[in-house]
Amino acid sequence: MTVELVVCETCRRPEDPPEAVRPGAELVALMVRALADSPDLAAQVRLRPMRCLMSCRRPCAVAVRSASRMSYVLGDFAPDEMTVETLTAYLRAYAATEDGIVPFKQWPQGVKGRFVSRLPPLEEPDGQV
């Protein structure tokens, strides 16, 4: 079952001028490279840039989702290698679950305190909507 990582490409810090390169776009580029460098993870995860996740108070924002699993929105990430390591570790843990609920003790340190919301699965495990 494919996991989707939605990254807000328009996220920016309040102090950034409007013409500055958006940190969200930087994070998208970093995740493209990380997935290209990790074919096993790329086989499980689809990266989907999105113009806005409406989490402007908590940029850079991402959503982790899969049809039959819980979905999560996380924010307050920096567009850097530490964030990429955190997200790839969390994506691996999330993909290994049946329901999308990664036990707290398996959370990478970098996701703690960054959860914005959790949403129920779109489909029940048996395919019912």
Side-chain angles (χ1 to χ4, degrees):
M1 182 179 333
T2 300
V3 172
E4 188 172 60
L5 175 66
V6 181
V7 179
C8 178
E9 64 186 355
T10 56
C11 275
R12 67 184 175 106
R13 294 174 290 264
E15 65 273 9
D16 290 343
E19 67 277 359
V21 174
R22 302 288 174 117
E26 292 179 63
L27 183 55
V28 169
L30 288 168
M31 288 305 303
V32 165
R33 188 175 32 180
L35 290 172
D37 291 345
S38 185
D40 65 313
L41 186 61
Q44 298 176 40
V45 176
R46 180 176 64 184
L47 178 63
R48 180 178 176 201
M50 186 172 167
R51 291 219 26 94
C52 185
L53 282 176
M54 299 182 82
S55 186
C56 299
R57 292 182 188 260
R58 305 225 19 217
C60 291
V62 303
V64 177
R65 65 186 188 169
S66 183
S68 298
R69 296 180 177 119
M70 296 294 283
S71 298
Y72 300 91
V73 176
L74 299 93
D76 301 318
F77 287 112
D80 59 22
E81 291 300 326
M82 181 181 252
T83 294
V84 170
E85 289 175 22
T86 294
L87 289 175
T88 56
Y90 186 75
L91 288 165
R92 288 179 194 284
Y94 180 88
T97 69
E98 290 292 321
D99 57 8
I101 300 172
V102 177
F104 180 78
K105 64 184 175 196
Q106 293 177 18
W107 289 7
Q109 185 63 37
V111 299
K112 295 176 181 175
R114 300 188 191 280
F115 287 89
V116 175
S117 65
R118 177 170 81 162
L119 301 167
L122 290 174
E123 301 171 358
E124 293 300 319
D126 64 3
Q128 298 292 319
V129 177

